[in-house]
């Protein structure tokens, strides 16, 4: 058993008790101590989550919080209100965490007090359908096998898109923060995130704040969670649309909070489009027809019309992002618990 500073594991959920129970059992089997788990029941329509967590809390360090207003950022903020641990590890209700997940997160934070965010690898829990293969091949959840440090100084990566291309830093299903940093930035922006009008971008905004405030962010590949990718194409289409809207909303937030970034973002727009096109061309380098025949479950057949349709959905979502964020920010204007300095 590895010991260290106390870690709070934060999981937001809504009406998915089967996958939540699987996720909780994997966290509770962790080889790290001490930790607690905070489950936020977000706008539930039943009491099933409350009943599950109440039953598990009798013998495990699991706490239940209810947030009646829909929205992932709202749920995470509700959980933060009851957390006193110095580190909070955030994951989803549809993952299975590795036995060493928490210990590897803590090890990365030990690189220095200025490390305020650690992200980790997200591997597939299963690869059984074309949609799941497409997610794994093209969405880039897994950022590689090398520990990488990011900041605005000696660890600044090549490329002018940093830190605006915050998706390269990690993903929301496997992100951890110093609790003091989340308090400093006022928690997650409730105008962003799944369940809001903006549909996503809450994780990107937090990564961005870590960098622009002069801190370090570490991608730790040994901190692994296995994620249940969507099995069906219609689910994937909604996911891709949400990612596009969330990205556009995140960039809109950057400009609203820091108007001086507008000129730079406008100048970077052509490079950003070229970067996206390069990624699409790489994704289109798929196996030949014989290879698809040998492995019919792969998502390669999505590379034709449906591949293009998914990318069009993403780009259309990005165009909707500014409007979505403006509307969502207006609707949540009384909820903001902090502003960037």
């Amino acid at each position: 058993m590895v010991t260290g500073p106390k870690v709070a594991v934060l999981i937001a959920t809504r009406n998915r008790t089967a996958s939540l129970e699987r996720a909780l059992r994997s966290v509770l089997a962790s080889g790290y101590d001490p930790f607690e788990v905070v489950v936020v029941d977000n706008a539930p329509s039943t009491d099933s989550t409350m009943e599950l967590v109440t039953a598990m809390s009798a013998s495990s360090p699991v706490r239940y919080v209810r947030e009646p207003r829909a929205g992932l950022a709202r749920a995470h903020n509700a959980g933060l209100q009851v957390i006193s641990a110095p580190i909070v590890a955030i994951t989803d209700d549809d993952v299975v965490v590795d036995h060493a997940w928490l210990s590897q997160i803590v090890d990365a934070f030990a690189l220095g007090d200025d490390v305020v965010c650690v992200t980790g690898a997200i591997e597939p829990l299963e690869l059984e359908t074309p949609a799941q293969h497409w997610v794994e091949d093209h969405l880039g959840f897994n950022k590689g096998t090398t520990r990488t440090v990011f900041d605005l100084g000696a660890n600044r990566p090549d490329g002018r898109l940093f830190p605006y291309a915050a998706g390269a830093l990690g993903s929301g299903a496997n992100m951890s923060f110093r609790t003091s940093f989340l308090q400093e930035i006022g928690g997650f922006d409730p105008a962003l995130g799944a369940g809001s009008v903006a549909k996503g971008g809450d994780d990107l905004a937090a990564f961005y704040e870590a960098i622009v405030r002069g801190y370090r962010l570490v991608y730790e590949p040994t901190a692994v969670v296995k994620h249940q990718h969507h099995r069906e194409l219609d689910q994937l289409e909604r996911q891709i649309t949400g990612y596009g809207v969330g990205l556009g909303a995140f960039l809109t937030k950057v400009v609203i909070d820091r108007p001086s970034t507008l000129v730079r973002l406008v100048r970077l727009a052509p490079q950003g489009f070229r970067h996206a096109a390069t990624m699409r061309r790489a994704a289109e380098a798929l196996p030949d027809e014989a290879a698809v025949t040998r492995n019919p479950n792969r998502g390669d057949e999505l590379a034709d019309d449906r591949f293009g349709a998914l990318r069009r959905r993403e780009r259309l979502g990005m165009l909707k992002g500014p409007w979505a964020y403006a509307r969502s920010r207006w609707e949540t204007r009384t909820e903001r618990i902090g502003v960037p300095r």
Side-chain angles (χ1 to χ4, degrees), residues 275-325:
H275 175 71
T278 300
M279 293 178 64
R280 287 194 294 274
R281 285 195 295 272
E284 288 164 356
L286 298 167
D288 58 22
E289 184 176 352
V292 175
T293 302
R294 288 193 301 270
N295 190 357
N297 286 332
R298 281 196 58 83
D300 303 326
E301 62 268 35
L302 295 181
D304 47 27
D305 292 342
R306 285 182 292 180
F307 175 86
L310 287 171
R311 288 306 187 191
R312 286 192 294 273
R313 280 178 173 270
E314 182 181 34
R315 293 194 294 273
L316 181 60
M318 289 181 63
L319 293 175
K320 293 180 178 179
W323 170 86
Y325 182 69

Side-chain angles (χ1 to χ4, degrees), residues 183-206:
Q183 293 169 342
E184 176 185 331
I185 67 173
F188 295 92
D189 186 345
L192 294 170
S196 72
V197 177
K199 299 185 181 296
D202 51 327
D203 51 349
L204 305 182

Side-chain angles (χ1 to χ4, degrees), residues 92-157:
D92 291 345
D93 63 0
D94 56 356
V95 307
V96 171
V97 309
D98 184 74
H99 180 72
W101 179 56
L102 290 178
S103 60
Q104 296 302 324
I105 288 170
V106 171
D107 185 60
F109 276 112
L111 291 176
D113 292 341
D114 60 342
V115 175
V116 298
C117 179
V118 174
T119 62
I122 301 175
E123 299 178 354
L125 186 61
E126 64 178 22
L127 286 176
E128 297 182 353
T129 71
Q132 289 177 328
H133 277 282
W134 195 93
V135 168
E136 187 62 18
D137 290 342
H138 305 307
L139 288 190
F141 282 140
N142 200 327
K143 312 301 180 183
T145 59
T146 303
R147 174 187 278 182
T148 308
V149 179
F150 298 93
D151 59 34
L152 291 177
N155 300 296
R156 183 174 189 135

Side-chain angles (χ1 to χ4, degrees), residues 8 47-48 71-72 75 84 93 128 134 136 143 148 174 184 188 200-201 206 213 235 243 259-260 268 290 295 302 329:
D47 290 332
S48 58
L72 185 59
S84 59
D93 63 0
E128 297 182 353
W134 195 93
E136 187 62 18
K143 312 301 180 183
T148 308
N174 191 358
E184 176 185 331
F188 295 92
R213 288 173 181 251
Q235 297 172 315
Y243 283 170
S260 61
L268 289 175
N295 190 357
L302 295 181
R329 184 157 172 143

Side-chain angles (χ1 to χ4, degrees), residues 167-196:
L169 305 178
S171 299
N174 191 358
M175 59 181 182
S176 303
F177 298 90
R178 292 195 188 275
T179 308
S180 58
F181 168 73
L182 291 177
Q183 293 169 342
E184 176 185 331
I185 67 173
F188 295 92
D189 186 345
L192 294 170
S196 72

